[in-house]
Each structure stands twice: as C-alpha cells, then as structure tokens.
Amino acid sequence: MRSVILIIFIIIIFSTLLYSQEESHKDTILFQVQWFPQSQFAGYIMAYEKGFYKDEGINVKLIFSDGSNSPIDELLKGNIDFCTAWLSQTITSKAEGRKLVNICQVLQKSSLMLIAKKSSNIFKPEDINGKRIGLWKGDFTIQPNAFIKKYDIKCETVQQSYNIHGFLANAWDVESAMYYNEYHKIILAGINEDELVTFFFSDYDLNFPEDGIYCTEDTYYSRTELCRKIFQASIKGWEYAFNFPEETLDKVMQYCDEFHMQTNRSHQKWMLNVIESSIKYKTGDSLQDWGKLKKEDYEKVGEILKNQEFIKNIPPFEDFFKEFQYEE
Amino acid sequence: MKNKKIKRPILWKLVLVIGIPLFVIYSVILVVNYFQYKDSYLDQMKEYLKELTSHNAADLNSQFIQIAEQPKSIATMLGTLKKPDVKELYSLISKTVESNPSIYGITVAFEPYSFNKKIELFSPYIYKDNDKILQVDLAENYNYLHSDWYLIPELLNDFYWTEPYFDEGGGNIFMCTYSFPIRKDGKFMGIVTADISLEDLKSRMKNIKILAGYTFIISRYGTYIYHPNEKDIMRETIFSKAEMYDFPAMRKFGRDMISGKKGVESFDDPITNSKQWLVYSPISSTEWTFAAIVPEKEILEKVNEMVIHQLSIMIIGLCVIILVIIWAAYKITNPIRKLAGLAEQLATGDLTVQMTNIKGRDEIHELAMVFNKMVIDLKHYIHDMTEATKAREAVESELRIARNIQESLLPRVFPPFPDRKEFNLYAKIIPAKEVAGDFYDFFFLDDNQLALIIADVSGKGVSAGLFMAVTRTLIKTVCQKDVSPSEVLRKANYILCQDNDACMFTTLFLAIYNVKSGKVSYANAGHNYPVILSQNGEWRMLDSFNNTALGIIEDQKYKVGETTINIDDCFVLYTDGVTEATSPEKELYGEERFIKKLIKNLSLPVDGIINKINEDLAEFQQGTQFDDITLMILRRNI
C-alpha cells in the first residue's frame, strides 16, 4: 500500500515538473526587431543581456529580421508576441483594420533623410529637380514622396539597394539614408561632412517618429501586465545602454559578429549616439517621459498618410497607443 | 738585451702617430656620413617602397584588366547577336570561366523579358567550386535587378567594379564583381559580369612582402578588401579605423589613397603606439589602393645596418692598417734590436759577432753591413794595436835600459867632490822623454882645473841619447890639461862631423874653471849663455864668443872667452829646456823670469836653487814638458 502511495506521489511530482516545463516553454515571449542586430536595438539587447526581462519575471527571446518578412505580419499571424515597427507602417496597418497597439514609442525623431553631394550641385530641395533620386521600398518612401510633393520636385526615382555604393558611384544623385546608418557609412567611405548636403525630414515638418514596440490588441487586453513588463524592461535596457556605451557596444558587436554583419564598432557607436538623441528628443534624461507617443506626432503622420492616400481614416489615437508608466 | 723593457718602442710610436689620427679621421667621417646620408637614405627608402608598392599594384592591375576583358568581349559579342541560344550562351560562359583561372564565375544577366519574351529574369551563372564548374540561373535565387553589380552599371551605363560582398544565392563566397553593360542597338540589354574570389586575392596577397610590414588593399571607398587581420575585411574602412582611434591624419591619408594618389607617409600609429610608414599606390582599373604599413623601426634598422656595415668596414680597415704598422715596425725594429744585442755583445769584447740573415736593400741593411764592417775593422785595429803595443813595450824597455846607461854616464853623486871646499856644485836633468838629449859633465883636469860641460843634442830619445854619449865621451877624451876649450870643441866638432849621416848636432858650453883663482876660460858651441850672479843680485850673461853647434861645420873654429867668478857668485849653466819652457797658454818661460827666480833664491844652497827653479818650471808648464830641462850651478866659496 505504501509503495502504491509512493509511486503515485512520484508520478504526481514528475507530471508537475513536466507541466511546469511545458508552461515555461509556452511562456517564452518572442520579441522581433525589424532588422539585423545593430545599435538601433541596443536597448533590447542590453535588457536581455543584463537580465532586465528576467527581473520582470518574463522569458524574452530576441528575434532579428533579415528584411525578408515584416515583423508586423509575423505579429498579426501570431508567430511572435512583440515587435518593433515604424509608426507610419503601423498606422497604415491599424487603418486597414489590423488589431495592433503601440505600447512604447521608442524613437521620437525621424532619422530618415536625403543626402546629396555638393559636387552634384544640390544645395536646396529645388535643386533636386531633374536629378536621379534613390528610394527604398515601402514606408521608407512615404516621407521622401511627401517631400517631393511638397517642393514639387520633378525627378527620376530609382529603387536603391540597402547600401551606399550606387550613391557613391554617382549612379544616383540623391540617396535615401538613415542618419544613424547610411549617412555615417558615407562618412566612413571617405566623404567629408562638408562635402555633403543633408535634408532631414524632421526639419521639413515631416518628422515621423520611427521605432515603437507593438503587440496585438489581444495580447494587450489579455496580458496587460506582460506588456508593462516589456515596456519597463526595454526602457531600463535603453537607459543602461546609454549609461554604459562601451559595454553595450561590446555586446552589439558580439551580436553583429554572430550574424556575420559587415559592420564596425565606429559605426555602431555613431548609431548608438543618434538613437540616444532620438529617444531623448524633447524629453532629455527623464525616463518617465521616454516611450510616449505624442498625439500631435501621431496626428501629423496620420495626416500625411491620409494625404498620400495610404489610409482613408486616421484610427483613434486612444485605440492605437496604450501608455505605460516607467517605474523607478 | 732582449729582456730589457723599452719604455717607448717604435712600434707604439707608429701606432700612436698613424693609428690614432686615422681612427679619429675615420670616426669623424663616419659621424658626418651618418647624418649626411641618413636623410638621403630615408628618401631612398621612400622611393624604394613607392616603387615596390607601385610594382605590386601594377601587377594586380594587369590581372584585373585581364579579368575585365572577358565580360567586355562577351557583352560586345552578345550585342551583335540577333538571338543568343541558351546552350551556346552556357558554353561560351563555361569556356571563358575555365580558361581564366583568375575568374571565379561569370554571369550574363538580362533585362526583364529581353532574352526571352516569356521569361522575365534570366541570368545564367557559371562558377568554380573546388575545381568543378557549376551552373545556376541567378534569377531562380534572387531578383538581381537591384543588386549593385546590375543596377549601378545599368544606371551609370558603364562598367563597374563592385565593392566586396557575399554573393548569397550565387557563388556563395566573398567576391568582387566586374560588370559590363550589354547594349544592342544602343538599348540596354543586361549585364555581363566576372567575379574574383576574395579568397584567391587573399592567398595572392599573402605572398607579397613589403619589408617586414604588412600589406592591404582598400576599395575606392576605403573598405578593406584585403587585410592580414581577416576581421577587418569588408567590415572596417580606413576611415572607420581613423574614427575608432580618433586619428584624423589617417582619414586624410585615406582620402589621398582613394583619390588615386601615390604616396609615402610616416605617422604615429595609435594602435601599436609606434612610428609607422604608410606607402600606397593605386590599382587604377578597380580604383582600389594597394598599400603597406612598414614599421619605421625596421627602416631605421636598415639605415643603422648600413652604418654598422660601413663601421665594420672601417674598423676592419683600421685593424688591417694597424697590423701593417705593427708588421712594418717589427720588420724595422727587429734587426735594430738584433743589432743592439750584437753591439752589447761586442762591447763585452766578443769580436766574432756578425749580423746575419739580412734581407732587403734598405737603410737597416746598410746599417748592418756597416756594423759588420766595423766589427771586422775593429778586429784588425785591435790586432794592429796589440802588435804596436808589443813593439812599443819592447822599445820602452830598451829605452829604460838606455836611460839607465845614460844616467850612469852622468855624475849623479852630489856633492861630487866633498873634500873640495872651494866651490859647491849641483846639476840636474829632467828629461822630457825617457832618454834625454841634454847632458852635463864636470871633472878635474888637474888639481885646480875643473871642466864644466853642458850640452843639448838635437832631437830626443835614443838617437839623441847615443849622440850625447858619443859627444860626452869625445869631449872627455879631448878635454885634457893645457888644451884650450876652443881646441877641445874644434877637435870634437871635427870628429863628430865625420860620418854624421843622421845630421845630428849638439850645442855645448865648455868652461874650465880654476878653483883657486876663480878664473874661467870657456868656449860656446851654439849653447845658451850661462849667467853669473852675485850675492847682491847683480848678474851678467856670458854672451860673447859664441860659435855654431857641434856636428854641423867640419872645420869650425871656436873662440875662447875668459871671465872670473867672484867669491859667493853663482855660475849658472842651463839648456834651452829652461828658457823655452812653455805654459799651456803658449807663454814662454823666458830668461827674465828665469833670472828673477835665480836672484830670488840666491840665498839657498845650489841644490835648493835648482830645485826651486824646477818646481817653478813644473808649475809653469803644468805637465806639458816638451824638452829636457838641465840646470847646473857652481858657487865659488873661497
């Protein structure tokens, strides 16, 4: 009789262990960022590496993208739990009826810009008339097109690749660039800043806040606490990254190496600095103010999307952005 | 002698006099050279490194030009074909890939629907994989239209060398691609490419050495295409390194490099914290730059190597010169030392010494010959000298005998007539040579007649002594009682003149003194005039009735003089040895001094007077007596 009880006891213990293991696997939170590892995602990398997600009691797995699939699509398919995405893209999705919510607007300032060489005689937007302009696909074209429209520029557009070589080889005169990425790559190709002319969209009333953290409405409503934990740990990760940039760069470079990224530390350092200024745009070091999407920014992006007929109606801000408060 | 330490040998003098100035001159030349040539050598090094990198860059360039030729010719050919056949196309590409070892793969990528109206994208790609030739249609793997190798040359409408990239879905390696556009009737039809494997480039680059430095290649945008640190390849650019190390000079160098310049720059490398030289040269076809970094230390080492090389040559040269000096000094001093040794041996009396084994015809040889001759001469001389000494000793011994004989001839016992109180008589000869030519004599002819003779034979020595003996004997024989002094002298002269082949002669004074009356009759054959002195200091010379010396004129007649000697007067007879005695200052003793001396000592006994005179003479002559000195004094007592 005693042995029967013992066997039953053992069975109960094992099944509990098995069940809890299954649960913990199930509890792995998949968090996908838009691109390969780089300083653009340093905050999440450091939150993961320093155990801030774990401290919140969640088991986050960071997933990087290769550009072949959109994290938003993955999110809506239910393949992942959280992702980062551009505001313009998610407003469009939301307007199209996709059920997603922004739980943290990380980057406040648009880094997208146009760059021209002074040698191609471009000094102001009108000078782009008659020139060849390189554009990426999708959301990256929204601001440039608005810019072209704004200044009534007549120019040839080409789809540029995700490098600067065509621009450097003068295959096109104007390059779409991220300030934290391509702009600096051009500098690292030996062109001096004073040899370039830059058009920051943020300076032309086209400031699109970029990376934000998204989840589905379902996730938000059913697991609000989890969303808060993601928010909390991610902001903490960013804070750490800015406070300990060298350690952060070590980690970022380690990730880059693992992904065989053809990048270098100088470049990642530049990127981290630009990202920092974008996160701290208008808020400074006040952590309480980080990650907030401002309604006017939202409205502005929505307005432009509407004007460009990407969307018909701007979804209500309250449905789109769910605010969390950072806790010290 | 050999053990004797010479304090300043000629050897060291030569080394000091030649070696040290030479060393100083050498050192000065070396220092001047070092500073003068250091800069020029560094310039030379710069030129050399430039040349070396240019050469390597040119080598790579020619290879790339060759690679670029292939797509160009395929594109040109395709531009002329109406409709290319797929099989033919594959075969053309395969052949080209196979026949060009430097080419990794070739593709012909067509514009949408331009190869076949039904097919949008078509890009047959033939590449090597471990010696196998593989083929793939790139269109099946990715949309090539936006690839750098396609898009950029299309837009540029010109050839294009891509930056290095990983060709995923194609060759699946790190590569650089040369693209050339296909144009048919002016219309863009597609791109022909040729790929080079960065692995191939790497293995090629590993064989290129620029001194002990390392080489690298950067693209036209500064990206490392080759670098010994593989992590830098494609990741870093020369500008990212400049930024990372906050090193603006490197950025400037980088800009110069990608602008197609050639150059050499030296800089403080913040990575290695050392001075380095950067030397670079463009690879014009790809617009890449071939460069090398060489530690300045190595370059300076080369400069120092040159200096050390020069220094060693100089030191070896100096050593050789010093050895030559030592050798030369040894060659010179060795015979001298030997000669010195022989001379010392000679000094001990060894006359057998001879300098042998003399080589050369120099001064040393001459000295040795003279030395040898000197030894031989010395030997002869000493031999002759010994002989001469022997002969002289023989003569001297004979002379000693002769002198003894002569001395025995002259009356030597004074007072000669102790029982005669009428007078005192004393005489003395101090001969200049062993046998004197002077003589004196006195003897009684009867009880009252005393003959006094003083004479001086010409010449000295034995012959004079013999002549003296003959003369004395002759006079003694001829001088008889009642024969006048003049007759004595006439007879004696006559006899002496007979057979006088030697032409000797003698001066002679003969006086016959009457001891009772004090009267003197006398005759003089060329002799000094005797002096008569009174006690009161008055004196007179018997200076009349003088005739020629005996032995000269055969029939000479002699006069007779007469005088009287008063009581206490001194009758002084002497030879010219007295009056003609000379001092070392060539001063003559003279009659005046002689007479004064006589007067001064007149109070003394006759022997005392003579001794005083002799003493004075000795003092006067100071050992330089040339002639016999003879003095005879008679004092009348009663």
Side-chain angles (χ1 to χ4, degrees), chain B residues 122-397:
Chain B
F122 179 55
S123 178
Y125 179 54
I126 309 270
Y127 64 102
K128 292 169 187 157
D129 186 17
N130 293 328
D131 296 333
K132 276 187 280 177
I133 302 289
L134 303 175
Q135 66 177 58
V136 67
D137 180 5
L138 294 180
E140 289 170 10
N141 295 330
Y142 64 94
N143 180 348
Y144 55 77
L145 294 177
H146 301 288
S147 300
D148 280 356
W149 60 263
Y150 192 92
L151 181 63
I152 296 172
E154 180 195 350
L155 293 172
L156 291 173
N157 196 22
D158 204 351
F159 72 88
Y160 177 72
W161 272 101
T162 67
E163 287 291 285
Y165 66 102
F166 186 79
D167 184 37
E168 201 168 350
N172 292 310
I173 58 154
F174 287 102
M175 59 167 65
C176 285
T177 300
Y178 174 82
S179 306
F180 196 87
I182 311 164
R183 272 182 294 268
K184 200 171 184 180
D185 307 324
K187 198 182 156 204
F188 177 74
M189 298 291 289
I191 293 287
V192 184
T193 69
D195 303 325
I196 52 167
S197 155
L198 289 194
E199 277 303 318
D200 287 354
L201 186 66
K202 206 187 290 175
S203 45
R204 195 189 154 127
M205 284 294 288
K206 273 179 182 160
N207 295 327
I208 299 176
K209 290 270 172 285
I210 305 283
L211 299 181
Y214 65 87
T215 56
F216 61 90
I217 293 176
I218 56 168
S219 76
R220 80 195 81 163
Y221 308 131
T223 308
Y224 288 109
I225 288 174
Y226 169 76
H227 194 281
N229 180 7
E230 292 200 12
K231 273 194 88 176
D232 287 353
I233 297 173
M234 291 173 66
R235 287 197 174 93
E236 299 280 352
T237 73
I238 194 160
F239 307 105
S240 69
K241 289 250 176 176
E243 198 173 292
M244 183 152 78
Y245 294 104
D246 192 17
F247 186 28
M250 181 63 92
R251 184 171 174 90
K252 193 192 155 292
F253 300 154
R255 279 173 63 90
D256 286 342
M257 287 162 87
I258 61 174
S259 66
K261 285 180 190 165
K262 251 184 210 180
V264 184
E265 309 281 355
S266 66
F267 63 96
D268 290 307
D269 187 358
I271 304 165
T272 57
N273 269 329
S274 60
K275 252 201 163 352
Q276 307 267 9
W277 281 27
L278 166 70
V279 50
Y280 54 90
S281 193
I283 303 168
S284 51
S285 62
T286 50
E287 295 178 52
W288 296 350
T289 305
F290 175 88
I293 297 228
V294 184
E296 189 179 77
K297 205 177 122 203
E298 197 210 357
I299 288 158
L300 292 179
E301 264 169 21
K302 291 252 174 210
V303 176
N304 290 338
E305 242 172 55
M306 181 199 74
V307 173
I308 288 165
H309 184 72
Q310 225 174 25
L311 186 72
S312 353
I313 290 174
M314 281 188 167
I315 286 171
I316 290 167
L318 198 64
C319 291
V320 168
I321 287 169
I322 286 171
L323 284 175
V324 167
I325 290 169
I326 291 169
W327 178 78
Y330 178 79
K331 284 297 257 188
I332 293 167
T333 56
N334 194 41
I336 292 176
R337 267 201 303 277
K338 207 166 158 190
L339 264 178
L342 291 176
E344 194 155 305
Q345 216 176 325
L346 184 67
T348 63
D350 183 358
L351 290 174
T352 58
V353 294
Q354 278 288 292
M355 183 81 178
T356 52
N357 200 19
I358 316 154
K359 285 169 189 163
R361 286 281 176 271
D362 55 10
E363 290 85 344
I364 302 294
H365 174 261
E366 197 65 30
L367 181 65
M369 297 304 284
V370 169
F371 177 82
N372 284 350
K373 188 174 178 296
M374 184 189 81
V375 173
I376 292 164
D377 287 354
L378 203 58
K379 207 191 277 179
H380 288 152
Y381 175 74
I382 286 171
H383 180 259
D384 291 353
M385 197 101 128
T386 315
E387 291 301 310
T389 308
K390 273 185 194 162
R392 206 185 70 208
E393 275 172 357
V395 169
E396 274 174 358
S397 115

Side-chain angles (χ1 to χ4, degrees), chain A residues 191-237:
Chain A
I191 297 179
N192 289 347
E193 287 186 274
D194 59 9
E195 291 168 324
L196 296 171
V197 178
T198 54
F199 303 100
F200 289 96
F201 292 121
S202 55
D203 293 342
Y204 291 90
D205 204 24
L206 290 168
N207 183 32
F208 281 25
E210 289 163 356
D211 298 5
I213 304 174
Y214 294 86
C215 63
T216 56
E217 283 179 3
D218 187 36
T219 305
Y220 173 71
Y221 289 115
S222 61
R223 302 173 81 181
T224 313
E225 182 54 17
L226 174 66
C227 295
R228 191 199 62 75
K229 284 175 176 174
I230 290 286
F231 171 87
Q232 174 75 19
S234 298
I235 295 291
K236 205 172 173 189

Side-chain angles (χ1 to χ4, degrees), chain B residues 78 85-93 108 110 115 122 124:
Chain B
L78 289 172
D85 178 72
V86 182
K87 266 192 181 170
E88 273 175 13
L89 190 61
Y90 271 110
S91 133
L92 172 68
I93 299 171
V108 180
F110 289 94
F115 180 73
F122 179 55

